[in-house]
Amino acid sequence: GQLFKVAVLPGDGIGPEVMAEALKVLDAVEKRYDVKFERTHANVGGAGIDLEGRALPETTVNICKAADAILFGSVGGPKWETLPPDEQPERGALLPLRKIFGLYANLRPAIIFPSLTSASSLKEEVIAGGFDILVIRELTGGIYFSQPKGIDGAGRDRVGVDTMRYSVPEIERIAHVAFQAAQKRGKKVCSIDKANVLSTSVLWREIVINIAKEYPDVELSHMYVDNAAMQLVRWPKQFDVILCENMFGDILSDEAAMLTGSLGMLPSASLAEGTFGMYEPSGGSAPDIAGQGIANPIAQILSAGMMLRYSFGMIEAADAIDNAVAKVLDQGYRTRDIYQEKAGEKLVNTKEIGDAIIANL
Amino acid sequence: GQLFKVAVLPGDGIGPEVMAEALKVLDAVEKRYDVKFERTHANVGGAGIDLEGRALPETTVNICKAADAILFGSVGGPKWETLPPDEQPERGALLPLRKIFGLYANLRPAIIFPSLTSASSLKEEVIAGGFDILVIRELTGGIYFSQPKGIDGAGRDRVGVDTMRYSVPEIERIAHVAFQAAQKRGKKVCSIDKANVLSTSVLWREIVINIAKEYPDVELSHMYVDNAAMQLVRWPKQFDVILCENMFGDILSDEAAMLTGSLGMLPSASLAEGTFGMYEPSGGSAPDIAGQGIANPIAQILSAGMMLRYSFGMIEAADAIDNAVAKVLDQGYRTRDIYQEKAGEKLVNTKEIGDAIIANL
Ligand SMILES: CC(C)[C@H](C(=O)O)[C@@H](O)C(=O)O
Ligand SMILES: CC(C)[C@H](C(=O)O)[C@@H](O)C(=O)O
């Protein structure tokens, strides 16, 4: 059988509780498939700060380096919000992890499960039958990481500067990810830019058009980011794969996720070249409900599924996880965040819905 | 009586038709108040390109310079979409106008009229009773205008660069606009930034906090732009005034506008220091319905109202226009874009709804 090494970084808030359910699912996968997941736990985020003095301790980086993939929980909470931005759990852990491991391709599905359409703040007629968008966000370039960046001068003469920079190879490789993903889905890529204002966008659009020629079976369109923010609200079903640079992807992927109404359901993958990747829920650490055993572990479980799919090539097991989640929802199991007090729903806790998913595997 | 000089720039698509209704409203205001509006028409956008060779002809700039305010229609259409971005109607006219006239404060109301809540793609329970958000967007700085900007190198070695830069005075003056606007409304400012990633945002947040001390009656909060994109969808009523830098304001104001479901209803103002300003509908030139006399002129009429309010200090007349529009909607008048086929609605054309508004003045 195969052996995969997983760095397990539960983090803060509900992170550890939902991670426990994802690990149970990995146990179940080990029983059903000829595979072993060797897991090494490490501290990250607020837990990293409290136990080892920083959001991303060196021991954690080393554990991740020795692994085939990172399964990440969630980080952050009120306790650490007064730290300088650089040292806070989210920023201090996520940005260095992305850079150190070259996680340039962020895949953020925004899916409405047909049985949960009523959780969306969009009207039923706008989302009838659900929607299924995959936002592909460039994650290691653009205004997040380019230099110069900083505040110069003193007092009222200070000037803040950030730089958005993209090279051709950076655009090419993320475009390939988008077109290849689209080939396996709805065969449409909508590339987002602001080519009427940004030079990076002019280059972005030109390169995306070039790369598209290698994928004649995929339909390419372009949309300005301001229009995309509108079109997501107006008619989300028009989208299949949305391709964005880093900052636009940050904004639009969150907007798309909120449109589904079930943030606790959405996984994400951040991929490096090769098979290494980091997998994490799209939602936050929800400190308000942490420790009560009521959090929704589905995003974490689906993140583990994405790990099997993208880092370990275990397509069948990944599909089985996705299907088990869908079945459990169809059977009416609901954690509190997705409970609508409707007939046929069963209100369950974190552990119970985890068990139900495993039972359906 | 007073005399105000208005540069009238109808532009393309539905621009001329809806402008005609706004000018009729100005006629009506002249009759009721002791005031004259001296109007000079000028070409802009596609009309500028076709008639004078460029989106913002020099004659147009000079007419605007001689005026007390600019009433702008809308620009753009398929005919000019193959031009280089710099020369296209929107970009080629709007960005230079903003820069030449120092239009640093963009006010974009996103209002749901209670009688039109059903036009929104949001659920009734999310928007019951309507909402009223004012997005205040910095319009002459940030990544739109800062240097360096461009594409360097050749072939696959090319690199695109844009620069986001903000100075303290630039942040201070737009913050004052936001707090002063909030004082006249719901007394809340939510300042949008990405202070966990951008240096400009760190400076932005610090300066906004400083300026807030001069407005103790206004409650200040901060939100990351990605979260704001979510919160607008989740619960738009939580917002009163939203304060943004240029790019974030571009995205969030469009998202907020679309949430109202009635883009054809939303005016905007772009203000310079002093009383000069440019006023334009938030929607586009809608080339698909141009020339048919069916476009909704309300955004253009409300833009004229904002001109009276902000450039001419005619608060009473501006209020009268806002009230007349609300009354006409209550009376059931609907252009095609807001017609819902409900009892009590009267489907009317551009001219008829303009007449109805004037009758209610
Ligand atoms: C925490 C923050 C730095 C991060 C980002 O902006 O990328 C987060 O919003 C995300 O989307 O993962
Ligand atoms: C046309 C474009 C340059 C402009 C902008 O981005 O500012 C438009 O989207 C707007 O919001 O007025």
Side-chain angles (χ1 to χ4, degrees), chain A residues 91 118 120-121 123 149-150 156 158 160 162 164 166 172 194 196-197 199-200 206 226 233 250 254, chain B residues 91 118 120-121 123 149-150 156 158 160 162 164 166 172 194 196-197 199-200 206 226 233 250 254:
Chain A
R91 208 232 115 112
S118 59
S120 170
S121 50
K123 283 191 179 133
K149 176 190 271 304
R156 279 197 80 221
R158 278 177 301 164
D162 296 283
M164 185 183 277
Y166 273 105
E172 285 176 345
K194 185 80 188 177
N196 50 353
V197 173
S199 294
T200 42
E206 182 198 315
D226 48 336
V233 169
D250 180 46
D254 271 359
Chain B
R91 208 228 112 123
S118 58
S120 170
S121 51
K123 282 189 179 137
K149 175 189 270 305
R156 278 196 80 221
R158 278 176 301 164
D162 296 282
M164 185 184 276
Y166 272 105
E172 285 176 346
K194 186 79 188 177
N196 50 353
V197 173
S199 293
T200 42
E206 182 199 313
D226 47 336
V233 169
D250 180 45
D254 271 359

Side-chain angles (χ1 to χ4, degrees), chain B residues 14-309:
Chain B
I14 59 169
E17 321 163 33
V18 297
M19 184 65 85
E21 300 311 307
L23 297 179
K24 273 166 48 183
V25 170
L26 290 185
D27 292 339
V29 171
E30 284 179 333
K31 289 208 189 95
R32 282 166 187 71
Y33 299 85
D34 188 22
V35 64
K36 277 275 159 214
F37 303 110
E38 184 187 299
R39 304 153 212 192
T40 312
H41 285 248
N43 298 312
V44 76
I49 295 170
D50 289 352
L51 298 167
E52 303 183 54
R54 50 201 294 192
L56 185 63
E58 217 180 294
T59 44
T60 300
V61 173
N62 289 331
I63 286 167
C64 294
K65 281 190 179 157
D68 298 309
I70 304 169
L71 192 57
F72 192 98
S74 51
V75 295
K79 184 172 174 192
W80 308 281
E81 267 165 17
T82 50
L83 291 172
D86 272 19
E87 296 171 25
Q88 286 183 23
E90 288 95 339
R91 208 228 112 123
L94 289 175
L95 296 195
L97 276 170
R98 292 174 190 168
K99 205 63 191 178
I100 294 169
F101 293 97
L103 306 171
Y104 72 97
N106 187 209
L107 277 51
R108 298 205 183 183
I111 296 176
I112 296 212
F113 296 84
S115 50
L116 294 178
T117 49
S118 58
S120 170
S121 51
L122 292 178
K123 282 189 179 137
E124 290 284 345
E125 65 245 46
V126 178
I127 47 168
F131 63 77
D132 180 349
I133 298 173
L134 177 60
V135 178
I136 300 210
R137 167 186 176 198
E138 202 289 328
L139 201 60
T140 50
I143 203 164
Y144 275 63
F145 292 101
S146 308
Q147 293 296 328
K149 175 189 270 305
I151 299 174
D152 287 327
R156 278 196 80 221
D157 287 332
R158 278 176 301 164
V159 173
V161 179
D162 296 282
T163 303
M164 185 184 276
R165 181 179 287 112
Y166 272 105
S167 68
V168 173
E170 277 179 306
I171 302 168
E172 285 176 346
R173 66 178 179 175
I174 193 72
H176 281 296
V177 173
F179 287 108
Q180 282 163 19
Q183 282 184 321
K184 297 192 197 132
R185 311 172 23 110
K187 300 200 164 37
K188 291 198 297 180
V189 169
C190 181
S191 172
I192 308 302
D193 64 42
K194 186 79 188 177
N196 50 353
V197 173
L198 302 182
S199 293
T200 42
S201 286
V202 171
L203 186 63
W204 177 278
R205 194 178 278 216
E206 182 199 313
I207 302 305
V208 170
I209 289 172
N210 266 347
I211 298 297
K213 294 179 192 140
E214 300 176 35
Y215 303 90
D217 53 330
V218 177
E219 182 194 317
L220 171 65
S221 62
H222 305 274
M223 199 179 271
Y224 292 141
V225 60
D226 47 336
N227 190 26
M230 294 206 278
Q231 295 302 325
L232 275 171
V233 169
R234 197 184 65 80
W235 196 242
K237 287 187 223 184
Q238 71 189 280
F239 295 107
D240 177 28
V241 171
I242 295 181
L243 168 62
C244 303
E245 67 84 39
N246 205 342
M247 171 64 74
F248 296 157
D250 180 45
I251 299 169
L252 295 185
S253 67
D254 271 359
E255 180 183 346
M258 182 55 87
L259 289 172
T260 70
S262 358
L263 270 185
M265 312 281 296
L266 300 177
S268 80
S270 302
L271 308 177
E273 294 189 25
T275 60
F276 193 87
M278 177 163 113
Y279 302 87
E280 60 176 312
S282 280
S285 62
D288 50 316
I289 59 160
Q292 301 177 37
I294 58 171
N296 186 341
I298 290 181
Q300 191 74 57
I301 290 168
L302 292 174
S303 296
M306 287 187 99
M307 177 174 76
L308 301 190
R309 185 182 305 278

Side-chain angles (χ1 to χ4, degrees), chain A residues 19 95-96 101 167 177 226 281 285 289 296 327 333 335 344 354 358:
Chain A
M19 184 64 84
L95 297 196
F101 292 97
S167 68
V177 174
D226 48 336
S285 62
I289 59 160
N296 186 341
K327 264 191 242 155
Y333 291 96
T335 44
I358 289 165

